[in-house]
Amino acid sequence: MGVAVGTQLTSQAPVFFESGLYYTEKGGKSTHNGTRFTYNLDYLEAPLLVKYKVYPSRDVSVEPFFGGYLACGIAGKIKDYNNREAYSSFGDEDDTFNRFDGGLRFGCGVSYQMLYLEASYDLGLANVGKDSFDDARNRCFNLTVGVNF
């Protein structure tokens, strides 16, 4: 859930810069030292994208894009199934996650009149894991539905 704003970079070509602010949920499950756990990571995320718009018809645009994203963790839970415990994903302990994340994003969107559909992939570059998680990076496939104003 969120909002995005785009602006055309040049009048010579349909190239746009887009940014915004989104609430996103990421997570996963794992086993560490025989302990099974799941984790949910909730972020405020700002995409920084360059889009190229192709207009096959007056009402339709195809919008491939690439760029990056920056995110700050705001909430989340780690559930330890062996010990039947749950605790914050972004606490001060060594077995939690770092709040800040960033990476690359690429994908393609399609607009039909005011309706917008998008598929993208996030390739996390920041190690969000602390000691117990060693090397943990967010990687996810996103589907977005929106309305253009």
Side-chain angles (χ1 to χ4, degrees):
M1 176 171 25
V3 62
V5 176
T7 185
Q8 193 165 358
L9 295 176
T10 175
S11 61
Q12 308 299 326
V15 177
F16 294 79
F17 174 75
E18 183 177 288
S19 187
L21 190 62
Y22 292 95
Y23 170 79
T24 62
E25 297 176 344
K26 299 178 182 182
K29 55 186 172 181
S30 184
T31 302
H32 181 72
N33 292 335
T35 301
R36 187 174 70 97
F37 62 91
T38 61
Y39 51 93
N40 299 325
L41 308 170
D42 301 340
Y43 290 98
L44 281 180
E45 189 170 271
L48 305 165
L49 305 173
V50 175
K51 284 189 171 185
Y52 184 82
K53 293 188 179 184
V54 179
Y55 298 93
S57 74
R58 193 179 71 121
D59 292 336
V60 176
S61 68
V62 177
E63 306 172 13
F65 61 86
F66 71 93
Y69 71 91
L70 298 171
C72 179
I74 56 171
K77 289 280 185 213
I78 299 173
K79 294 180 182 175
D80 180 339
Y81 288 93
N82 289 14
N83 297 320
R84 298 184 184 263
E85 291 181 311
Y87 46 96
S88 174
S89 296
F90 300 109
D92 292 330
E93 300 84 22
D94 287 340
D95 54 354
T96 60
F97 291 88
N98 293 316
R99 283 194 186 275
F100 293 99
D101 184 24
L104 301 176
R105 176 174 291 166
F106 52 91
C108 189
V110 176
S111 287
Y112 174 73
Q113 295 179 351
M114 289 182 63
L115 179 64
Y116 181 73
L117 302 171
E118 174 184 291
S120 65
Y121 184 76
D122 288 352
L123 180 65
L125 299 178
N127 181 6
V128 295
K130 288 187 180 175
D131 290 341
S132 294
F133 293 100
D134 296 328
D135 189 21
R137 300 179 194 286
N138 283 321
R139 303 227 165 108
C140 67
F141 181 72
N142 304 297
L143 293 175
T144 303
V145 177
V147 177
N148 292 322
F149 294 104

